[in-house]
Amino acid sequence: MAEEKDFALLTDLYELTMCASYFDNKINDTATFDLFIRDLPPNRSYFIAAGLEDAFNYLKNIRFTEEHIKFLKSKKIFKDDFLNYLKNFKFTGDVFALPEGTIFFPNEPILSVTAPIIEAQIVETFLLNAINLQTTIAIKASRVVYAAKNKPVIDFSLRRTQGTDAGMKVARTSYITGCVGTSNVLAGLKYKIPIYGTMAHSFVMAFEEEEKSFGAYSKTFPDTSIFLVDTYDTLKGVEKAALVAKELKKQGHKLKAIRLDSGDLVALSKSARKILDKNGLKYVNIFASGNLDEYKVEELLKKGALIDAFGVGTAMGVSKDAPYCDVVYKLVELNNKNKHLPTMKLSKGKVTYPGKKQVYRITDKNKNYIKDILALRDEKIDGKELLVKVMEKGKIIYKMPSLEEIRNKTKENLLKLPEKYKKLKNAAKYKVEISPELRKMTEKLNKKLSFD
Amino acid sequence: MAEEKDFALLTDLYELTMCASYFDNKINDTATFDLFIRDLPPNRSYFIAAGLEDAFNYLKNIRFTEEHIKFLKSKKIFKDDFLNYLKNFKFTGDVFALPEGTIFFPNEPILSVTAPIIEAQIVETFLLNAINLQTTIAIKASRVVYAAKNKPVIDFSLRRTQGTDAGMKVARTSYITGCVGTSNVLAGLKYKIPIYGTMAHSFVMAFEEEEKSFGAYSKTFPDTSIFLVDTYDTLKGVEKAALVAKELKKQGHKLKAIRLDSGDLVALSKSARKILDKNGLKYVNIFASGNLDEYKVEELLKKGALIDAFGVGTAMGVSKDAPYCDVVYKLVELNNKNKHLPTMKLSKGKVTYPGKKQVYRITDKNKNYIKDILALRDEKIDGKELLVKVMEKGKIIYKMPSLEEIRNKTKENLLKLPEKYKKLKNAAKYKVEISPELRKMTEKLNKKLSFD
């Protein structure tokens, strides 16, 4: 695993070799790089900015240690003067960013970094890694929460997330985007996220009879038990859970829920509800889990499943149907010999918009989103500016919101995104206009570069 | 991110609540849990064991710190006697495992943990997380390497892996399974994996002319430069690269390669080869990258692309088409009142095989794999035993191989797996037989549990 003190080396080698060559050629003009996503992944219709806090902390703290320098020296790739430069390396640039929880769209910068080109280049890989994971999960989790309508969704993904860091970030991001909590205990400690748990099949199997396992568990947790009922025969399991629940009731306690984890959840939830109700256990909730994702949750509710809460694991935790975003970090301006030179590349299918930019959001009188305008930063456009200056000369000048504040803001933002953009499939395409000035600059530069 | 000292809490809450209830009910019989994968992901035909080293280190080192106990206490879920128990918690069990690099198949245990049930249960989540990621990536990377035939493949995925831990593990696992190295510098430091780098489009764009960027880069790296040629017009880029390469040649240096990162790589590589050859630059390699995976690499080579090496990123680093394995951890035996009771669950579509097991591999006279037999551990079967005892009473009794040793072993193993099982699509299904004794036990238990 990568420890925080080693994040400076958590980079592609080419960032360092390019910087060595800039250094060698005495090039350190001020550069602006935009971090943005080219395209929407399949079935996605919006992005949610996430991972910014990690990005800022990285930029604030990046340092090359003695061990790093020694290692780089041992590779015999770099000259000593560059390694000496790295010893004192700090990020001293300015950063504009979309606050976490901001809804955004393709080509809109999430981060825009302006710094001496060596500094701006060296941070590329880590920034992409940080933003990619959390933004990918933010969209996925928000879709699951949307599908569940107002029923609680809990993140159950830790066992199958891609590594330990992802386990933490998925808990954080899914909480930001509307999950009510996570099964990940460490995320509870580190992020103060509510933690939830039920029981596993092994617990039921550890007792000679299913009913005894329920009895033993509720002895320990008389008011918070959730019985897993599908280890052998689901409906027989529900009957046994009901028996134990009635015993608990006599003692003044309430079974919290039963959990269904396999089989036809629509039919089983209806039958389970009947069994519970007939036993006077209307207050016992039905919790569902087992290979769920937004598509299955939507279908279950559409078919009338009587499910009160969902535990969603793997498919959300790895964003199964779209496990990454096409996030890139592109040079858009270079301050060369006191001229501001916008830049762009022309590689097939990969054209980028040049220049320092701002994203303007146009809303109706209720603040519902209508469209965005991607413009040059110094253009005057009527609309809400989405990119906020978060770092100046390497210092964070932005008050980091708490996780609860980000979560509330995200909820508010999602409410302002009209329904037609939130459908799980075939959602409407949100309009992002290119401003006249940005369009002009792009065309001019395109011509210039094509004829060079 | 999750630091190593906090791994004890990197667990699902239910592991702790179940253990609290075992503790409360004075249940601490010896249990055996198998960690295995139920099904092959789409297009996959084998698994490669990976992530074991992390699993063993976790089992050896798991401790609950003061901070952990304080946090758990604050949640008001647990009684003090259980929290006191956790303060002194250590894993004292026995572990059998498939050595890293072992090829295996569905239902075959990768890990088999025998310990007092509280210890065996509490470690579930972390073990699944560790094995899932690396095993998932091991298969994917081995497929990419297979598709590339004998051409080198380099891991370029760090920027899009799911978090920082995945960035490290992907570099490690892809190296084990045949990649020649990684772009991830920290993986170079921590795992001693060869590191590689080229240049990015931004470097080319930082100069007013493409040719100047090549000149500047090769000034710094006269013998190791790889020029990225597709920033504006690929073939014009190759011409410019050739000019600079000829200059280098005059000075006694050799351009290492050019890199193609977009467009029709078959046609472009052929044209680029011609340009290079015509300029007397036969020694300059052609390196390709840009949204590659095993399917594209196979197709490129089939169509005669003149590519000498591949940089493979996102699709490999997140195992795009199968971003997880259906890895589970199931109770298979419980030593209850001095009786060994095999256990299994019957949930629909999720039946597991009971009892402590061994995997036997049957090979031909050249040691090529023919089939496996999944058997009870104390059965006598003629074949190579794959599961090795790696921990005894909480101590590692297994000499951890070096990464190079694992890499060599994996290569050897893959050579013994007949070609028909390695095809990227529609590969043959490898036979895993269930031994007579295991079958008998499964049927008996099935009947018993169904009639309970």
Side-chain angles (χ1 to χ4, degrees), chain B residues 319-383:
Chain B
S319 189
K320 182 182 172 187
D321 60 341
Y324 68 96
C325 289
D326 195 11
V327 56
V328 293
Y329 184 80
K330 292 294 167 191
L331 180 65
V332 294
E333 190 175 292
L334 197 63
N335 187 348
N336 202 329
K337 294 169 201 127
N338 298 319
K339 279 190 300 179
H340 287 276
L341 292 179
T343 70
M344 62 189 286
K345 73 173 179 148
L346 301 173
S347 316
K348 251 184 181 161
K350 290 185 175 181
V351 173
T352 56
Y353 292 103
K356 284 198 189 95
K357 299 177 204 73
Q358 179 55 278
V359 183
Y360 294 89
R361 181 145 297 161
I362 315 303
T363 57
D364 68 13
K365 61 183 191 317
N366 298 317
K367 303 213 170 160
N368 290 320
Y369 303 168
I370 296 177
K371 66 173 180 182
D372 289 359
I373 301 175
L374 185 61
L376 293 172
R377 201 176 290 164
D378 49 15
E379 271 183 278
K380 289 284 159 273
I381 303 270
D382 204 15

Side-chain angles (χ1 to χ4, degrees), chain B residues 262-277:
Chain B
S262 58
D264 174 352
L265 295 178
V266 177
L268 289 172
S269 67
K270 289 180 183 173
S271 304
R273 188 71 270 160
K274 265 187 209 151
I275 295 169
L276 292 170
D277 290 357

Side-chain angles (χ1 to χ4, degrees), chain A residues 218 221-224 244-256 281 283:
Chain A
S218 55
F221 303 107
D223 294 300
T224 56
V244 178
K246 286 200 287 187
E247 273 308 308
L248 277 174
K249 201 178 172 184
K250 278 188 208 157
Q251 296 154 27
H253 297 296
K254 280 183 175 175
L255 177 65
K256 197 168 153 194
L281 301 165
Y283 57 86

Side-chain angles (χ1 to χ4, degrees), chain B residues 120-178:
Chain B
Q121 184 72 65
I122 234 167
V123 300
E124 173 181 24
T125 307
F126 188 94
L127 294 181
L128 289 168
N129 184 290
I131 304 295
N132 173 54
L133 170 61
Q134 293 196 54
T135 297
T136 299
I137 300 301
I139 320 164
K140 183 71 176 180
S142 82
R143 290 163 60 83
V144 176
V145 170
Y146 175 79
K149 299 190 192 279
N150 292 314
K151 299 184 189 297
V153 177
I154 298 165
D155 162 40
F156 268 11
S157 65
L158 176 59
R159 60 188 53 203
R160 301 256 189 82
T161 57
Q162 293 197 349
T164 57
D165 185 42
M168 297 299 286
K169 302 294 167 55
V170 170
R172 179 185 190 271
T173 314
S174 59
Y175 185 64
I176 288 177
T177 48

Side-chain angles (χ1 to χ4, degrees), chain A residues 56-68:
Chain A
F56 305 156
N57 284 332
Y58 163 79
L59 291 173
K60 198 178 70 177
N61 298 324
I62 177 173
R63 295 290 180 279
F64 291 86
T65 66
E66 286 292 324
E67 189 193 15
H68 299 163

Side-chain angles (χ1 to χ4, degrees), chain A residues 229 234-235 238-239 258 260 262-278 282 284-288 299-308:
Chain A
V229 293
T234 304
L235 295 182
V238 179
E239 297 278 7
I258 59 162
L260 305 172
S262 59
D264 175 352
L265 296 178
V266 176
L268 289 172
S269 67
K270 289 179 183 174
S271 305
R273 188 72 270 162
K274 265 188 210 149
I275 294 169
L276 293 169
D277 290 356
K278 161 189 98 188
K282 281 191 191 296
V284 175
N285 284 320
I286 296 176
F287 189 94
E299 199 196 337
L300 286 171
L301 293 177
K302 209 174 266 174
K303 288 187 175 165
L306 297 174
I307 293 167
D308 301 294

Side-chain angles (χ1 to χ4, degrees), chain A residues 99-116:
Chain A
E100 289 198 277
T102 303
I103 292 173
F104 69 101
F105 301 92
N107 293 313
E108 298 180 346
I110 314 163
L111 274 181
S112 183
V113 174
T114 300

Side-chain angles (χ1 to χ4, degrees), chain A residues 153-158 167-168 170-172 174-175 179-189 191-197 316, chain B residues 11-13:
Chain A
V153 177
I154 297 165
D155 162 39
F156 269 12
S157 64
L158 176 58
M168 296 299 287
V170 169
R172 179 185 189 272
S174 59
Y175 185 65
C179 286
V180 299
T182 179
S183 64
N184 177 346
V185 182
L186 189 58
L189 169 61
Y191 301 128
K192 300 180 181 41
I193 299 173
I195 51 177
Y196 293 89
M316 182 172 82
Chain B
T11 181
D12 292 314
L13 178 61

